[in-house]
Amino acid sequence: MIAKRWLTPTGFLVLASVAMPLGFAAWQALLNNFAIEMAAFTGREMGILQSLREVPGFLAFTAVFVILVLREQTFAVLSVAVFGVGVAITGYFPTEYGLYFTALLMSVGFHYFETIRQSLSLQWLSKEETPRILGRLMAVGSATSLVGFGAIFLVLEVFSLEYKWIYVFAGGAAVVIAVLLAQYPQFESKTPQRKEIVLRPRYWLYYSLTFFSGARRQIFVVFAGFLMVEKFGYSAANIALLFLVNHVFNVLFAERIGAWIGRIGERHALTLEYCGLIGVFIAYAFVENGMIAAGLYIIDHLFFAMAIAIKTYFQKIADPADIASTAGVSFTINHIAAVVIPAVLGFVWLQSRPAVFLIGAAFAFCSLLLARNVPQRPDEGNEVVLGRVGGGVQRAA
């Protein structure tokens, strides 16, 4: 049973923020080694797998149709359960097509849950507390990942546990958390949500920031870790340790970064993030030292915490009734490039590793230009510095 003081919207979000990192820690830390050692993956197969994994993200807009028949909170619980099952069975399918199938199943749960969690967070939290609470949720997720990666490092190095059992334990834990989440009462949103696809011209800058964020992030997620294994010979335990360090930084700084974004504003936070990422990607293109590459990996992960600013920017400019629908639409936009880029750049990788990361730097530069168009004080009717569409706030009839 869950204590009554935890039966709150924030309690639900905190517990939900434990489930995904717990399962994803195992999936992510073991993937490159499992794929190379068990299924003889090259960059081509890894690119295809990552593109397939992003298809559910591309289809996240369909969440708006699911909530016609399911409450968002119930949908979130079911998504966690599907995710857990997908992770748990991964080790039993050590083939190319087996990995494609389990990655797709895991991804269905992951992306639908992340879509609904973003929607519920922006509905349940006030604009003033959102940056700090989102930072706290990121810190909770990182603390969970910290425990997960630490456990993975221990069982690999000390007990030499088979990959499949790590997947079973991590996925099973996510399913257990789904059962606990099902015990929560249904919480009501302050504003009834529109249950149809909403696309508004005045949100164009948010859509653009989201698109380039997805394109750029996929290059890092897919190829930076793969570089560690393929070029520098990192073991699964080394990768787990690297993730461990990343999440120590998030535990220490994520909530502070969220509060800092609330103080300085989205424009400055995003500008700093993208300037830093341009440098990180260029350095990755030419790095020849495994320790320096690991340092770049950690720096990139720290910059990733600043992506909170895109969500808080949208919360400030949005019609509150649009949040649920736009959460799905934004995930789809985020994954348009993500579906294509890993597979295409998988072939580029075979010809030139540096070219892949230089393309990432170009995407970061595009994001920087867009960030400079965010107003100092965004609000409904004040969405952009240049390129305002229409003369005022646009609402659905």
Side-chain angles (χ1 to χ4, degrees):
M1 294 294 293
I2 300 174
K4 287 186 178 180
R5 66 190 181 91
W6 282 98
L7 295 176
T8 64
T10 301
F12 182 93
L13 292 172
V14 168
L15 184 57
S17 295
V18 170
M20 289 296 164
L22 198 59
F24 201 66
W27 191 87
Q28 190 176 33
L30 302 180
L31 177 64
N32 287 311
N33 293 84
F34 186 75
I36 291 173
E37 294 170 20
M38 301 296 183
F41 269 35
T42 67
R44 182 184 69 85
E45 289 82 19
M46 184 58 69
I48 292 172
L49 182 146
Q50 295 289 1
S51 286
L52 287 173
R53 184 176 70 87
E54 299 300 346
V55 169
F58 177 73
L59 297 176
F61 72 92
T62 59
V64 75
F65 302 121
V66 178
I67 63 175
L68 289 172
V69 293
L70 282 179
R71 296 176 67 105
E72 284 186 84
Q73 200 172 322
T74 302
F75 189 16
V77 173
L78 291 175
S79 297
V80 173
V82 170
F83 165 80
V85 171
V87 172
I89 66 174
T90 297
Y92 291 93
F93 295 86
T95 64
E96 179 180 351
Y97 291 102
L99 278 174
Y100 292 162
F101 165 72
T102 55
L104 194 60
L105 181 63
M106 177 277 297
S107 182
V108 168
F110 179 86
H111 284 100
Y112 275 131
F113 171 75
E114 289 298 324
T115 299
I116 298 303
R117 185 177 70 160
Q118 177 176 313
S119 170
L120 293 177
S121 298
L122 298 183
Q123 291 177 58
W124 289 346
L125 302 175
S126 68
K127 293 180 181 179
E128 293 72 24
E129 67 180 344
T130 294
R132 180 177 58 83
I133 297 298
L134 289 183
R136 178 182 299 174
L137 295 177
M138 184 176 288
V140 168
S142 289
T144 305
S145 296
L146 194 61
V147 173
F149 287 123
I152 292 168
F153 181 79
L154 182 67
V155 298
L156 287 173
E157 288 291 282
V158 178
F159 301 105
S160 300
L161 195 66
E162 290 184 61
Y163 292 152
K164 70 176 181 181
W165 294 115
I166 299 175
Y167 282 126
V168 167
F169 293 142
V175 173
V176 170
I177 290 174
V179 173
L180 294 176
L181 289 172
Q183 298 179 30
Y184 276 76
Q186 291 289 330
F187 303 113
E188 298 297 330
S189 171
K190 296 176 183 178
T191 304
Q193 296 296 295
R194 296 190 177 94
K195 296 181 179 180
E196 67 270 355
I197 295 174
V198 175
L199 283 168
R200 300 205 187 284
R202 71 184 184 89
Y203 297 161
W204 73 265
L205 181 56
Y206 170 69
Y207 297 149
S208 300
L209 285 167
T210 300
F211 172 80
F212 280 105
S213 175
R216 184 189 66 253
R217 191 64 190 163
Q218 279 307 305
I219 293 176
F220 176 79
V221 168
V222 175
F223 295 104
F226 199 73
L227 181 77
M228 298 293 189
V229 176
E230 188 179 74
K231 183 175 181 178
F232 298 113
Y234 275 50
S235 67
N238 295 146
I239 295 295
L241 184 60
L242 187 58
F243 282 124
L244 199 66
V245 175
N246 281 342
H247 289 292
V248 167
F249 277 94
N250 264 4
V251 170
L252 294 175
F253 300 115
E255 185 171 356
R256 296 178 184 179
I257 289 173
W260 175 72
I261 291 170
R263 290 195 301 271
I264 70 167
E266 291 78 10
R267 177 185 173 94
H268 294 312
L270 291 173
T271 296
L272 177 60
E273 177 189 1
Y274 300 139
C275 285
L277 288 175
I278 291 170
V280 167
F281 274 114
I282 292 174
Y284 245 119
F286 304 107
V287 66
E288 294 295 336
N289 181 287
M291 292 300 294
I292 294 176
L296 293 171
Y297 200 94
I298 293 167
I299 292 170
D300 181 276
H301 199 83
L302 194 59
F303 278 126
F304 180 65
M306 295 184 186
I308 291 171
I310 297 179
K311 298 177 183 178
T312 59
Y313 164 68
F314 173 69
Q315 187 187 36
K316 290 177 179 179
I317 68 170
D319 180 339
D322 290 347
I323 288 175
S325 173
T326 306
V329 170
S330 68
F331 262 79
T332 293
I333 292 171
N334 184 275
H335 288 79
I336 290 173
V339 170
V340 177
I341 282 176
V344 172
L345 293 189
F347 290 98
V348 175
W349 181 266
L350 298 177
Q351 305 301 318
S352 172
R353 290 172 181 155
V356 171
F357 294 111
L358 291 176
I359 290 170
F363 286 151
F365 180 73
C366 292
S367 294
L368 175 61
L369 295 179
L370 292 168
R372 300 308 297 168
N373 202 28
V374 174
Q376 293 283 7
R377 294 179 177 82
D379 201 351
E380 292 185 76
N382 185 36
E383 298 88 4
V384 296
V385 176
L386 299 173
R388 184 170 287 107
V389 179
V393 178
Q394 302 172 15
R395 298 182 183 272

PDB file of all heavy atoms in Angstrom, residues 131-140 142 247-261 302 305-306 308:
ATOM      1  N   PRO A 131       9.244  24.778 -13.615  1.00  0.00           N
ATOM      2  CA  PRO A 131      10.679  24.529 -13.863  1.00  0.00           C
ATOM      3  C   PRO A 131      11.340  23.773 -12.714  1.00  0.00           C
ATOM      4  O   PRO A 131      12.098  22.820 -12.944  1.00  0.00           O
ATOM      5  CB  PRO A 131      11.260  25.937 -14.012  1.00  0.00           C
ATOM      6  CG  PRO A 131      10.115  26.797 -14.401  1.00  0.00           C
ATOM      7  CD  PRO A 131       8.927  26.214 -13.694  1.00  0.00           C
ATOM      8  N   ARG A 132      11.051  24.174 -11.473  1.00  0.00           N
ATOM      9  CA  ARG A 132      11.677  23.530 -10.321  1.00  0.00           C
ATOM     10  C   ARG A 132      11.213  22.084 -10.162  1.00  0.00           C
ATOM     11  O   ARG A 132      12.033  21.179  -9.928  1.00  0.00           O
ATOM     12  CB  ARG A 132      11.355  24.323  -9.048  1.00  0.00           C
ATOM     13  CG  ARG A 132      11.967  23.737  -7.779  1.00  0.00           C
ATOM     14  CD  ARG A 132      11.655  24.625  -6.584  1.00  0.00           C
ATOM     15  NE  ARG A 132      10.224  24.803  -6.403  1.00  0.00           N
ATOM     16  CZ  ARG A 132       9.436  23.932  -5.759  1.00  0.00           C
ATOM     17  NH1 ARG A 132       9.946  22.822  -5.250  1.00  0.00           N
ATOM     18  NH2 ARG A 132       8.147  24.177  -5.617  1.00  0.00           N
ATOM     19  N   ILE A 133       9.899  21.847 -10.297  1.00  0.00           N
ATOM     20  CA  ILE A 133       9.377  20.490 -10.119  1.00  0.00           C
ATOM     21  C   ILE A 133       9.849  19.574 -11.246  1.00  0.00           C
ATOM     22  O   ILE A 133      10.194  18.411 -11.014  1.00  0.00           O
ATOM     23  CB  ILE A 133       7.840  20.480 -10.029  1.00  0.00           C
ATOM     24  CG1 ILE A 133       7.383  21.271  -8.800  1.00  0.00           C
ATOM     25  CG2 ILE A 133       7.314  19.058  -9.958  1.00  0.00           C
ATOM     26  CD1 ILE A 133       7.857  20.707  -7.481  1.00  0.00           C
ATOM     27  N   LEU A 134       9.880  20.079 -12.482  1.00  0.00           N
ATOM     28  CA  LEU A 134      10.405  19.263 -13.579  1.00  0.00           C
ATOM     29  C   LEU A 134      11.866  18.909 -13.334  1.00  0.00           C
ATOM     30  O   LEU A 134      12.318  17.799 -13.635  1.00  0.00           O
ATOM     31  CB  LEU A 134      10.239  19.992 -14.913  1.00  0.00           C
ATOM     32  CG  LEU A 134       8.812  20.119 -15.456  1.00  0.00           C
ATOM     33  CD1 LEU A 134       8.828  20.815 -16.823  1.00  0.00           C
ATOM     34  CD2 LEU A 134       8.128  18.761 -15.567  1.00  0.00           C
ATOM     35  N   GLY A 135      12.623  19.864 -12.794  1.00  0.00           N
ATOM     36  CA  GLY A 135      14.005  19.567 -12.432  1.00  0.00           C
ATOM     37  C   GLY A 135      14.081  18.515 -11.342  1.00  0.00           C
ATOM     38  O   GLY A 135      14.931  17.623 -11.373  1.00  0.00           O
ATOM     39  N   ARG A 136      13.160  18.606 -10.369  1.00  0.00           N
ATOM     40  CA  ARG A 136      13.129  17.606  -9.302  1.00  0.00           C
ATOM     41  C   ARG A 136      12.802  16.230  -9.861  1.00  0.00           C
ATOM     42  O   ARG A 136      13.416  15.227  -9.469  1.00  0.00           O
ATOM     43  CB  ARG A 136      12.103  17.992  -8.241  1.00  0.00           C
ATOM     44  CG  ARG A 136      11.978  16.969  -7.104  1.00  0.00           C
ATOM     45  CD  ARG A 136      10.922  17.371  -6.108  1.00  0.00           C
ATOM     46  NE  ARG A 136      11.233  18.654  -5.481  1.00  0.00           N
ATOM     47  CZ  ARG A 136      10.404  19.283  -4.647  1.00  0.00           C
ATOM     48  NH1 ARG A 136       9.222  18.772  -4.365  1.00  0.00           N
ATOM     49  NH2 ARG A 136      10.763  20.444  -4.105  1.00  0.00           N
ATOM     50  N   LEU A 137      11.831  16.156 -10.777  1.00  0.00           N
ATOM     51  CA  LEU A 137      11.472  14.873 -11.375  1.00  0.00           C
ATOM     52  C   LEU A 137      12.649  14.291 -12.158  1.00  0.00           C
ATOM     53  O   LEU A 137      12.886  13.076 -12.147  1.00  0.00           O
ATOM     54  CB  LEU A 137      10.252  15.031 -12.287  1.00  0.00           C
ATOM     55  CG  LEU A 137       8.942  15.427 -11.599  1.00  0.00           C
ATOM     56  CD1 LEU A 137       7.836  15.624 -12.635  1.00  0.00           C
ATOM     57  CD2 LEU A 137       8.520  14.390 -10.569  1.00  0.00           C
ATOM     58  N   MET A 138      13.391  15.171 -12.839  1.00  0.00           N
ATOM     59  CA  MET A 138      14.589  14.705 -13.544  1.00  0.00           C
ATOM     60  C   MET A 138      15.619  14.182 -12.563  1.00  0.00           C
ATOM     61  O   MET A 138      16.283  13.163 -12.803  1.00  0.00           O
ATOM     62  CB  MET A 138      15.176  15.854 -14.380  1.00  0.00           C
ATOM     63  CG  MET A 138      16.363  15.443 -15.233  1.00  0.00           C
ATOM     64  SD  MET A 138      16.946  16.795 -16.303  1.00  0.00           S
ATOM     65  CE  MET A 138      15.610  16.858 -17.499  1.00  0.00           C
ATOM     66  N   ALA A 139      15.745  14.865 -11.410  1.00  0.00           N
ATOM     67  CA  ALA A 139      16.689  14.416 -10.390  1.00  0.00           C
ATOM     68  C   ALA A 139      16.268  13.071  -9.813  1.00  0.00           C
ATOM     69  O   ALA A 139      17.107  12.195  -9.562  1.00  0.00           O
ATOM     70  CB  ALA A 139      16.799  15.458  -9.272  1.00  0.00           C
ATOM     71  N   VAL A 140      14.961  12.888  -9.589  1.00  0.00           N
ATOM     72  CA  VAL A 140      14.453  11.603  -9.089  1.00  0.00           C
ATOM     73  C   VAL A 140      14.754  10.491 -10.096  1.00  0.00           C
ATOM     74  O   VAL A 140      15.209   9.403  -9.734  1.00  0.00           O
ATOM     75  CB  VAL A 140      12.934  11.685  -8.822  1.00  0.00           C
ATOM     76  CG1 VAL A 140      12.347  10.289  -8.590  1.00  0.00           C
ATOM     77  CG2 VAL A 140      12.658  12.568  -7.613  1.00  0.00           C
ATOM     78  N   SER A 142      17.105  10.478 -12.281  1.00  0.00           N
ATOM     79  CA  SER A 142      18.547  10.243 -12.306  1.00  0.00           C
ATOM     80  C   SER A 142      19.011   9.462 -11.088  1.00  0.00           C
ATOM     81  O   SER A 142      19.917   8.628 -11.186  1.00  0.00           O
ATOM     82  CB  SER A 142      19.292  11.575 -12.396  1.00  0.00           C
ATOM     83  OG  SER A 142      19.128  12.145 -13.676  1.00  0.00           O
ATOM     84  N   HIS A 247      24.391  10.521 -14.130  1.00  0.00           N
ATOM     85  CA  HIS A 247      23.232  10.681 -13.266  1.00  0.00           C
ATOM     86  C   HIS A 247      23.598  11.247 -11.901  1.00  0.00           C
ATOM     87  O   HIS A 247      22.737  11.848 -11.239  1.00  0.00           O
ATOM     88  CB  HIS A 247      22.483   9.356 -13.159  1.00  0.00           C
ATOM     89  CG  HIS A 247      21.781   8.994 -14.434  1.00  0.00           C
ATOM     90  ND1 HIS A 247      20.699   9.707 -14.913  1.00  0.00           N
ATOM     91  CD2 HIS A 247      22.011   8.022 -15.359  1.00  0.00           C
ATOM     92  CE1 HIS A 247      20.294   9.185 -16.048  1.00  0.00           C
ATOM     93  NE2 HIS A 247      21.078   8.167 -16.349  1.00  0.00           N
ATOM     94  N   VAL A 248      24.837  11.100 -11.475  1.00  0.00           N
ATOM     95  CA  VAL A 248      25.287  11.799 -10.269  1.00  0.00           C
ATOM     96  C   VAL A 248      25.154  13.306 -10.480  1.00  0.00           C
ATOM     97  O   VAL A 248      24.651  14.038  -9.611  1.00  0.00           O
ATOM     98  CB  VAL A 248      26.748  11.430  -9.924  1.00  0.00           C
ATOM     99  CG1 VAL A 248      27.313  12.395  -8.874  1.00  0.00           C
ATOM    100  CG2 VAL A 248      26.830  10.005  -9.406  1.00  0.00           C
ATOM    101  N   PHE A 249      25.573  13.775 -11.644  1.00  0.00           N
ATOM    102  CA  PHE A 249      25.462  15.198 -11.961  1.00  0.00           C
ATOM    103  C   PHE A 249      23.994  15.639 -11.980  1.00  0.00           C
ATOM    104  O   PHE A 249      23.655  16.719 -11.486  1.00  0.00           O
ATOM    105  CB  PHE A 249      26.118  15.500 -13.312  1.00  0.00           C
ATOM    106  CG  PHE A 249      27.603  15.685 -13.231  1.00  0.00           C
ATOM    107  CD1 PHE A 249      28.468  14.629 -13.461  1.00  0.00           C
ATOM    108  CD2 PHE A 249      28.151  16.914 -12.906  1.00  0.00           C
ATOM    109  CE1 PHE A 249      29.837  14.786 -13.373  1.00  0.00           C
ATOM    110  CE2 PHE A 249      29.527  17.094 -12.820  1.00  0.00           C
ATOM    111  CZ  PHE A 249      30.369  16.021 -13.050  1.00  0.00           C
ATOM    112  N   ASN A 250      23.118  14.810 -12.548  1.00  0.00           N
ATOM    113  CA  ASN A 250      21.703  15.174 -12.586  1.00  0.00           C
ATOM    114  C   ASN A 250      21.091  15.232 -11.194  1.00  0.00           C
ATOM    115  O   ASN A 250      20.300  16.119 -10.886  1.00  0.00           O
ATOM    116  CB  ASN A 250      20.923  14.181 -13.454  1.00  0.00           C
ATOM    117  CG  ASN A 250      20.753  14.676 -14.872  1.00  0.00           C
ATOM    118  OD1 ASN A 250      21.277  15.726 -15.230  1.00  0.00           O
ATOM    119  ND2 ASN A 250      20.049  13.926 -15.685  1.00  0.00           N
ATOM    120  N   VAL A 251      21.425  14.256 -10.351  1.00  0.00           N
ATOM    121  CA  VAL A 251      20.908  14.256  -8.980  1.00  0.00           C
ATOM    122  C   VAL A 251      21.327  15.535  -8.264  1.00  0.00           C
ATOM    123  O   VAL A 251      20.541  16.157  -7.542  1.00  0.00           O
ATOM    124  CB  VAL A 251      21.408  13.017  -8.207  1.00  0.00           C
ATOM    125  CG1 VAL A 251      21.079  13.141  -6.723  1.00  0.00           C
ATOM    126  CG2 VAL A 251      20.768  11.757  -8.769  1.00  0.00           C
ATOM    127  N   LEU A 252      22.576  15.949  -8.479  1.00  0.00           N
ATOM    128  CA  LEU A 252      23.105  17.121  -7.789  1.00  0.00           C
ATOM    129  C   LEU A 252      22.583  18.435  -8.353  1.00  0.00           C
ATOM    130  O   LEU A 252      22.369  19.401  -7.604  1.00  0.00           O
ATOM    131  CB  LEU A 252      24.643  17.110  -7.856  1.00  0.00           C
ATOM    132  CG  LEU A 252      25.349  15.979  -7.104  1.00  0.00           C
ATOM    133  CD1 LEU A 252      26.848  16.038  -7.361  1.00  0.00           C
ATOM    134  CD2 LEU A 252      25.057  16.057  -5.612  1.00  0.00           C
ATOM    135  N   PHE A 253      22.357  18.469  -9.680  1.00  0.00           N
ATOM    136  CA  PHE A 253      22.125  19.769 -10.311  1.00  0.00           C
ATOM    137  C   PHE A 253      20.791  19.947 -11.037  1.00  0.00           C
ATOM    138  O   PHE A 253      20.421  21.077 -11.358  1.00  0.00           O
ATOM    139  CB  PHE A 253      23.266  20.071 -11.305  1.00  0.00           C
ATOM    140  CG  PHE A 253      24.623  20.121 -10.677  1.00  0.00           C
ATOM    141  CD1 PHE A 253      25.586  19.183 -11.005  1.00  0.00           C
ATOM    142  CD2 PHE A 253      24.933  21.090  -9.737  1.00  0.00           C
ATOM    143  CE1 PHE A 253      26.852  19.219 -10.426  1.00  0.00           C
ATOM    144  CE2 PHE A 253      26.191  21.142  -9.149  1.00  0.00           C
ATOM    145  CZ  PHE A 253      27.155  20.205  -9.488  1.00  0.00           C
ATOM    146  N   ALA A 254      20.040  18.866 -11.331  1.00  0.00           N
ATOM    147  CA  ALA A 254      18.859  19.006 -12.190  1.00  0.00           C
ATOM    148  C   ALA A 254      17.822  19.957 -11.599  1.00  0.00           C
ATOM    149  O   ALA A 254      17.300  20.833 -12.297  1.00  0.00           O
ATOM    150  CB  ALA A 254      18.235  17.637 -12.462  1.00  0.00           C
ATOM    151  N   GLU A 255      17.488  19.796 -10.316  1.00  0.00           N
ATOM    152  CA  GLU A 255      16.487  20.686  -9.717  1.00  0.00           C
ATOM    153  C   GLU A 255      16.996  22.124  -9.675  1.00  0.00           C
ATOM    154  O   GLU A 255      16.243  23.073  -9.906  1.00  0.00           O
ATOM    155  CB  GLU A 255      16.111  20.209  -8.319  1.00  0.00           C
ATOM    156  CG  GLU A 255      14.980  21.031  -7.714  1.00  0.00           C
ATOM    157  CD  GLU A 255      14.432  20.449  -6.416  1.00  0.00           C
ATOM    158  OE1 GLU A 255      14.870  19.350  -6.012  1.00  0.00           O
ATOM    159  OE2 GLU A 255      13.563  21.095  -5.804  1.00  0.00           O
ATOM    160  N   ARG A 256      18.299  22.284  -9.424  1.00  0.00           N
ATOM    161  CA  ARG A 256      18.872  23.634  -9.415  1.00  0.00           C
ATOM    162  C   ARG A 256      18.836  24.249 -10.805  1.00  0.00           C
ATOM    163  O   ARG A 256      18.605  25.462 -10.950  1.00  0.00           O
ATOM    164  CB  ARG A 256      20.313  23.577  -8.900  1.00  0.00           C
ATOM    165  CG  ARG A 256      20.430  23.120  -7.449  1.00  0.00           C
ATOM    166  CD  ARG A 256      21.877  23.045  -6.999  1.00  0.00           C
ATOM    167  NE  ARG A 256      21.995  22.516  -5.648  1.00  0.00           N
ATOM    168  CZ  ARG A 256      23.144  22.318  -5.020  1.00  0.00           C
ATOM    169  NH1 ARG A 256      24.286  22.620  -5.634  1.00  0.00           N
ATOM    170  NH2 ARG A 256      23.160  21.829  -3.802  1.00  0.00           N
ATOM    171  N   ILE A 257      19.099  23.427 -11.820  1.00  0.00           N
ATOM    172  CA  ILE A 257      19.024  23.932 -13.195  1.00  0.00           C
ATOM    173  C   ILE A 257      17.602  24.367 -13.514  1.00  0.00           C
ATOM    174  O   ILE A 257      17.377  25.412 -14.132  1.00  0.00           O
ATOM    175  CB  ILE A 257      19.505  22.857 -14.192  1.00  0.00           C
ATOM    176  CG1 ILE A 257      21.025  22.674 -14.069  1.00  0.00           C
ATOM    177  CG2 ILE A 257      19.135  23.234 -15.631  1.00  0.00           C
ATOM    178  CD1 ILE A 257      21.582  21.528 -14.892  1.00  0.00           C
ATOM    179  N   GLY A 258      16.603  23.568 -13.082  1.00  0.00           N
ATOM    180  CA  GLY A 258      15.211  23.947 -13.300  1.00  0.00           C
ATOM    181  C   GLY A 258      14.878  25.270 -12.640  1.00  0.00           C
ATOM    182  O   GLY A 258      14.250  26.149 -13.251  1.00  0.00           O
ATOM    183  N   ALA A 259      15.288  25.442 -11.390  1.00  0.00           N
ATOM    184  CA  ALA A 259      15.033  26.697 -10.681  1.00  0.00           C
ATOM    185  C   ALA A 259      15.769  27.857 -11.356  1.00  0.00           C
ATOM    186  O   ALA A 259      15.242  28.974 -11.456  1.00  0.00           O
ATOM    187  CB  ALA A 259      15.468  26.567  -9.221  1.00  0.00           C
ATOM    188  N   TRP A 260      16.980  27.580 -11.833  1.00  0.00           N
ATOM    189  CA  TRP A 260      17.783  28.604 -12.526  1.00  0.00           C
ATOM    190  C   TRP A 260      17.096  29.045 -13.813  1.00  0.00           C
ATOM    191  O   TRP A 260      17.053  30.243 -14.133  1.00  0.00           O
ATOM    192  CB  TRP A 260      19.166  28.025 -12.801  1.00  0.00           C
ATOM    193  CG  TRP A 260      20.085  28.888 -13.609  1.00  0.00           C
ATOM    194  CD1 TRP A 260      20.704  30.028 -13.196  1.00  0.00           C
ATOM    195  CD2 TRP A 260      20.494  28.662 -14.956  1.00  0.00           C
ATOM    196  NE1 TRP A 260      21.483  30.533 -14.212  1.00  0.00           N
ATOM    197  CE2 TRP A 260      21.368  29.717 -15.304  1.00  0.00           C
ATOM    198  CE3 TRP A 260      20.213  27.680 -15.892  1.00  0.00           C
ATOM    199  CZ2 TRP A 260      21.960  29.806 -16.562  1.00  0.00           C
ATOM    200  CZ3 TRP A 260      20.811  27.760 -17.145  1.00  0.00           C
ATOM    201  CH2 TRP A 260      21.658  28.814 -17.470  1.00  0.00           C
ATOM    202  N   ILE A 261      16.517  28.094 -14.558  1.00  0.00           N
ATOM    203  CA  ILE A 261      15.767  28.438 -15.771  1.00  0.00           C
ATOM    204  C   ILE A 261      14.591  29.339 -15.422  1.00  0.00           C
ATOM    205  O   ILE A 261      14.285  30.296 -16.137  1.00  0.00           O
ATOM    206  CB  ILE A 261      15.295  27.160 -16.499  1.00  0.00           C
ATOM    207  CG1 ILE A 261      16.484  26.418 -17.099  1.00  0.00           C
ATOM    208  CG2 ILE A 261      14.284  27.496 -17.612  1.00  0.00           C
ATOM    209  CD1 ILE A 261      16.150  25.036 -17.615  1.00  0.00           C
ATOM    210  N   LEU A 302      24.757  16.865 -19.213  1.00  0.00           N
ATOM    211  CA  LEU A 302      24.453  17.991 -18.331  1.00  0.00           C
ATOM    212  C   LEU A 302      23.687  19.078 -19.085  1.00  0.00           C
ATOM    213  O   LEU A 302      22.725  19.656 -18.551  1.00  0.00           O
ATOM    214  CB  LEU A 302      25.754  18.561 -17.760  1.00  0.00           C
ATOM    215  CG  LEU A 302      25.631  19.515 -16.575  1.00  0.00           C
ATOM    216  CD1 LEU A 302      24.930  18.843 -15.401  1.00  0.00           C
ATOM    217  CD2 LEU A 302      27.010  20.000 -16.148  1.00  0.00           C
ATOM    218  N   ALA A 305      19.803  18.623 -19.480  1.00  0.00           N
ATOM    219  CA  ALA A 305      18.877  19.033 -18.422  1.00  0.00           C
ATOM    220  C   ALA A 305      18.225  20.375 -18.743  1.00  0.00           C
ATOM    221  O   ALA A 305      17.114  20.667 -18.276  1.00  0.00           O
ATOM    222  CB  ALA A 305      19.606  19.112 -17.083  1.00  0.00           C
ATOM    223  N   MET A 306      18.885  21.196 -19.548  1.00  0.00           N
ATOM    224  CA  MET A 306      18.336  22.504 -19.891  1.00  0.00           C
ATOM    225  C   MET A 306      17.170  22.414 -20.863  1.00  0.00           C
ATOM    226  O   MET A 306      16.482  23.405 -21.119  1.00  0.00           O
ATOM    227  CB  MET A 306      19.433  23.390 -20.478  1.00  0.00           C
ATOM    228  CG  MET A 306      20.539  23.719 -19.500  1.00  0.00           C
ATOM    229  SD  MET A 306      21.752  24.859 -20.210  1.00  0.00           S
ATOM    230  CE  MET A 306      22.972  24.882 -18.900  1.00  0.00           C
ATOM    231  N   ILE A 308      14.456  21.332 -20.304  1.00  0.00           N
ATOM    232  CA  ILE A 308      13.260  21.720 -19.554  1.00  0.00           C
ATOM    233  C   ILE A 308      12.705  23.032 -20.088  1.00  0.00           C
ATOM    234  O   ILE A 308      11.493  23.254 -20.099  1.00  0.00           O
ATOM    235  CB  ILE A 308      13.609  21.870 -18.049  1.00  0.00           C
ATOM    236  CG1 ILE A 308      13.919  20.510 -17.427  1.00  0.00           C
ATOM    237  CG2 ILE A 308      12.461  22.537 -17.279  1.00  0.00           C
ATOM    238  CD1 ILE A 308      14.483  20.617 -16.019  1.00  0.00           C
TER     239      ILE A 308
END
